[in-house]
Amino acid sequence: MKKISPLVAAFALFGFLTAFLPLPSHIADQSSYLTDIKSELMKEWPKNRSVTLLFHGHSVPAGYFKTPVVNTLGAYPHQLLAKLKTRYPYAVINVLITAIGGENSEQGAARFQKDVLIHKPDVLFIDYALNDRRIGLEKARQSWQAMIEQAQQAGIKVILLTPTPDLKVDMRDPENELRRHANQIRQLAVRYQTGLVDSYRAFDAVRQQGDTLSHYMAQGNHPNEAGHALVADELVKWF
C-alpha cells in the first residue's frame, strides 16, 4: 500500500474538518466594513488623498431616466456624492461610472479588468440585476462571482445592489423574477462578506406602506430622482 505523506494527510484532515464548519451567515458589518475609507475621508489637506468610488452596472447607475435622457446629477452615484460631501467636507471624492445602458453582468464581467480594475477604486458598487433577467440566474451568479473575486483579490471593497423596480413586475408575487435575483445577490453578499444595498427591499417597503411605485419611477424600468434617493439613502449608511 502506498504511504501517504504527513503533509498530504494534514491537508486532507483540514479539508474534512472545514467541510463541517458553519458558513458565514451575515453580510459585512455596516459599522466597520469601510472603516479605512471613512478614515481617509476625514483627513484634511495635506494628509488626505483622493478616494475613488466606482459604479459598475447598467442604465440605472448610468443615470438613464426617461430614455434617452441621462440625468447624471440626479442619479444615485452623484446623490451619494452630495451626501458624502456634506458629511466629509475635507474629502476629495472621485465618482467614476463604468455603467452602460442595456448591459448585463456577463458583459460587465467581460470588460471588468480593462474598465474597472484599471482605476483601482477604493469602493466598487455592482448593479446589474434588472438586465440579468435576460441571461438567467446561473449565468448572472457566475458573472457576479467573477467580478467580486477579482475585486477582492485587488483589495477593493465591494458593495452589491439588489434591483430597483420594473413596473411590469408584480412585487407582491414572492416568486417574481426580480425577487429571485435579489435573493441571489443577498446570498452572494453573505458568501463573500461584501456590503449590500438592498434597493429591492427599500422600494418594496415603500409599496407596503401604501405608496405608489410609479411616484418613484421616470419610466417603467428607470427610477426618477425620488427613486434614486431611496437607493442613495441606503448607500450612505455604509459611510
Side-chain angles (χ1 to χ4, degrees), residues 56-65 67 76 99-107 126-137 140-141 144 147 160-171 176-185 197 199-201 203 213 216-224 227-228 231:
H56 194 52
H58 49 41
S59 54
V60 176
Y64 284 88
F65 276 43
T67 306
Y76 71 71
I100 294 178
E103 188 174 75
N104 59 54
S105 63
E106 198 170 41
Q107 295 167 308
I126 302 176
D127 185 356
Y128 271 112
L130 270 179
N131 290 355
D132 277 351
R133 291 174 290 173
R134 297 199 300 264
I135 63 173
L137 287 166
R141 182 187 61 78
W144 285 65
M147 291 187 285
L160 310 180
L161 286 87
T162 61
T164 51
D166 183 330
L167 294 180
K168 294 179 181 178
V169 174
D170 185 359
M171 296 183 84
N176 79 67
E177 201 169 18
L178 282 183
R179 186 186 291 268
R180 292 201 297 270
H181 279 274
N183 285 337
Q184 179 165 270
I185 293 163
V197 166
S199 306
Y200 185 95
R201 185 165 292 164
F203 279 90
L213 283 181
Y216 298 87
M217 305 298 288
Q219 64 179 40
N221 61 340
H222 291 162
N224 58 21
H228 278 272
V231 181

Side-chain angles (χ1 to χ4, degrees), residues 71-105:
N71 185 352
T72 302
L73 298 182
Y76 71 71
H78 284 84
Q79 287 201 33
L80 174 63
L81 175 61
K83 291 176 181 293
L84 293 180
K85 284 307 303 170
T86 298
R87 184 172 297 180
Y88 301 103
Y90 308 119
V92 178
I93 305 172
N94 295 323
V95 167
L96 300 181
I97 300 171
T98 56
I100 294 178
E103 188 174 75
N104 59 54
S105 63

